[in-house]
Amino acid sequence: MRNIRVFFEKKDECKYISHLDLNRVMLRAVGKSRLPIWRTEGFNQHAYITFALPLSLGFSSDCESMDFRLLDDEMALGQIPSLLNACLPKGIRVTGCKEAKHKPAEIDSALYEMTLTSDNISTEELYSAFDEMLGCDEIAVEKKTKKGFKTINLKEYIIRCDYSVLNDGVRVSITLPAGSVTNINPTLYVSALEKRAGAEIDADIYRRGIYVKDGADFE
């Protein structure tokens, strides 16, 4: 029995599929593909799959992963992507498959790409507001926790941030803490920017990478 990690994209219309529905989609695809994977025991047996870092609703991504145990030790892993893709909807596509190297608990950070636009202010004004916000010593926001809400300083959580003006808006590439210990959602920065700019801002958010503590890709 091998611990297998499948990597996949989630974009276009499928970015609006909730994590619960994504789980159902993947379970159906695994069933239709007839992959020999380990199933739970008991009266209601079903294929057992897990996801390392669930994606927020409305986000796109090209670095999602799903884990399961493969019962066939002789099966070539290169067969798995095509078998699953034949059973998946448009917007979800398996891009690779390998034996799991890292544990989900090792995830330390994630890279997000945001395209910011607004109908209320110009792109130049939006860029200036973002630049001024990052120049502050403190970006205070209310973050929801299991015990309620607490005020945090978003400036302290930025691992890296690059931004520029493009034809379609302000493009922001930001690396933030992610995982079971500390997980910072990039929409918190959008909310803080709306407050500073005094305007409603649309954000198209794409997760581009997931990393472990040494900066290596999560594999």
Side-chain angles (χ1 to χ4, degrees):
M1 193 159 53
R2 292 181 286 173
N3 293 323
I4 304 303
R5 180 160 291 148
V6 166
F7 295 91
F8 64 94
E9 298 175 340
K10 183 173 182 277
K11 56 186 182 180
D12 301 327
E13 294 86 351
C14 283
K15 70 181 182 179
Y16 298 110
I17 294 178
S18 69
H19 181 63
L20 180 60
D21 287 335
L22 174 65
N23 187 74
R24 293 181 180 130
V25 167
M26 287 303 194
L27 284 172
R28 289 171 183 169
V30 166
K32 289 180 179 179
S33 69
R34 298 192 176 183
L35 283 173
I37 77 171
W38 182 80
R39 296 175 177 272
T40 59
E41 299 176 356
F43 179 76
N44 185 26
Q45 296 184 2
H46 61 274
Y48 186 74
I49 62 175
T50 59
F51 299 86
L53 191 65
L55 189 68
S56 296
L57 185 67
F59 287 19
S60 300
S61 175
D62 53 14
C63 59
E64 298 309 287
S65 66
M66 172 181 72
D67 295 356
F68 55 79
R69 294 177 181 176
L70 190 65
L71 297 177
D72 186 350
D73 290 338
E74 302 299 324
M75 184 177 187
L77 300 187
Q79 300 176 16
I80 294 177
S82 59
L83 289 173
L84 287 174
N85 284 331
C87 307
L88 288 169
K90 180 181 178 182
I92 299 178
R93 186 177 72 88
V94 173
T95 57
C97 177
K98 60 176 64 176
E99 293 194 34
K101 177 180 178 181
H102 301 111
K103 296 180 180 179
E106 295 180 66
I107 293 175
D108 183 67
S109 62
L111 169 64
Y112 298 93
E113 183 179 275
M114 301 191 291
T115 301
L116 308 178
T117 58
S118 177
D119 293 331
N120 307 117
I121 58 176
S122 68
T123 300
E124 290 72 21
E125 290 173 318
L126 185 57
Y127 176 87
S128 295
F130 189 83
D131 184 59
E132 291 173 2
M133 183 178 75
L134 261 63
C136 296
D137 293 331
E138 183 179 51
I139 307 173
V141 298
E142 291 288 314
K143 184 179 185 296
K144 187 176 182 180
T145 67
K146 293 180 180 179
K147 297 181 179 180
F149 288 87
K150 71 173 183 178
T151 301
I152 64 170
N153 179 10
L154 290 177
K155 185 69 178 288
E156 297 177 352
Y157 294 99
I158 298 176
I159 298 172
R160 179 172 178 175
C161 185
D162 300 302
Y163 50 100
S164 59
V165 175
L166 298 179
N167 292 333
D168 56 350
V170 176
R171 183 69 55 81
V172 178
S173 179
I174 187 167
T175 303
L176 300 170
S180 58
V181 178
T182 304
N183 191 55
I184 301 297
N185 194 308
T187 57
L188 292 173
Y189 293 86
V190 179
S191 297
L193 182 60
E194 286 182 322
K195 185 176 180 180
R196 170 172 286 273
E200 185 175 340
I201 296 170
D202 294 320
D204 184 21
I205 302 177
Y206 216 115
R207 186 151 72 189
R208 296 294 189 182
I210 298 175
Y211 312 106
V212 293
K213 289 184 178 181
D214 62 359
D217 290 337
F218 173 69
E219 297 180 345

